[in-house]
Amino acid sequence: RKIPNVRQLKIQLSAAECSVGCCNLSHLSSLEALEVLAESLPSNPVEFSFPLNLKELVLGGLHLPWSKISAIEELPDLEVLTLLDGSFVGERWELTPGGFRELRCLSLENLDVVEWEDATDAFPRLEKLRLIGILELEKVPSCLGQIPCLVEIEARDCKDSLNALVREIGKEQEDWGNEDLKIIID
């Protein structure tokens, strides 16, 4: 309440702070960029309420269940999302239909997700997808192959089967007429 006009905020949570249970940031109406990192495994995941005008979000170490990502999927102005090691845990991420309406850049780094389930009309404006150190992922949403504005997919330090899925997305994009898509695999 004492910083209502803050536009950028970085929060570093300790294990003790993670046990608080709720972090309501929705009243920060000017907040556009938020980074929330936890230093160690929280005993109870923190519940978040985000401001609706948030444009950039970085999360790491919070160990939230994938079901909690629905609050992020619905943010109407979110353009950049970076999910770092331990931000969400569990083997299955199921997208919400129509989720991430304005998202332009999605980075997934060192997550343990195995299945990334499809949803219709998810990521309609996605331009860049970064997959870094994703070692367990076996299934990606088919909607990634049909996003007309996708310009780059980067896969670094991922297993060969995920690299093959990225190449398949590139082939499907090409079939849809997107010949400008840049695929980076390392």
Side-chain angles (χ1 to χ4, degrees), residues 96-111:
T96 301
F100 296 110
R101 301 298 311 158
E102 296 298 322
L103 198 67
R104 306 260 194 270
C105 181
L106 175 62
S107 294
L108 308 177
E109 299 184 25
N110 301 311
L111 298 174

Side-chain angles (χ1 to χ4, degrees), residues 2 10 33 39 70 83 98 104-105 120 125 132 151 157 169 174 177 182-183 185:
K2 294 182 180 183
K10 182 176 181 179
E39 294 175 359
S70 61
L83 301 178
R104 306 260 194 270
C105 181
T120 56
R125 289 179 170 62
I132 311 296
V151 294
D157 301 322
I169 292 168
E174 190 176 301
K182 183 177 179 182
I183 303 283
I185 297 177

Side-chain angles (χ1 to χ4, degrees), residues 70 73-74 93-101 117-124 143:
S70 61
E73 287 177 315
E74 297 169 1
W93 173 10
E94 189 170 338
L95 290 170
T96 301
F100 296 110
R101 301 298 311 158
E117 294 292 330
D118 215 346
T120 56
D121 300 326
F123 306 115
C143 66

Side-chain angles (χ1 to χ4, degrees), residues 134-135 137 157-168 185-186:
I134 307 295
L135 301 176
L137 192 60
D157 301 322
C158 297
K159 65 182 185 176
D160 291 338
S161 59
L162 181 55
N163 293 339
L165 289 173
V166 168
R167 285 186 188 95
E168 286 177 29
I185 297 177
D186 187 16

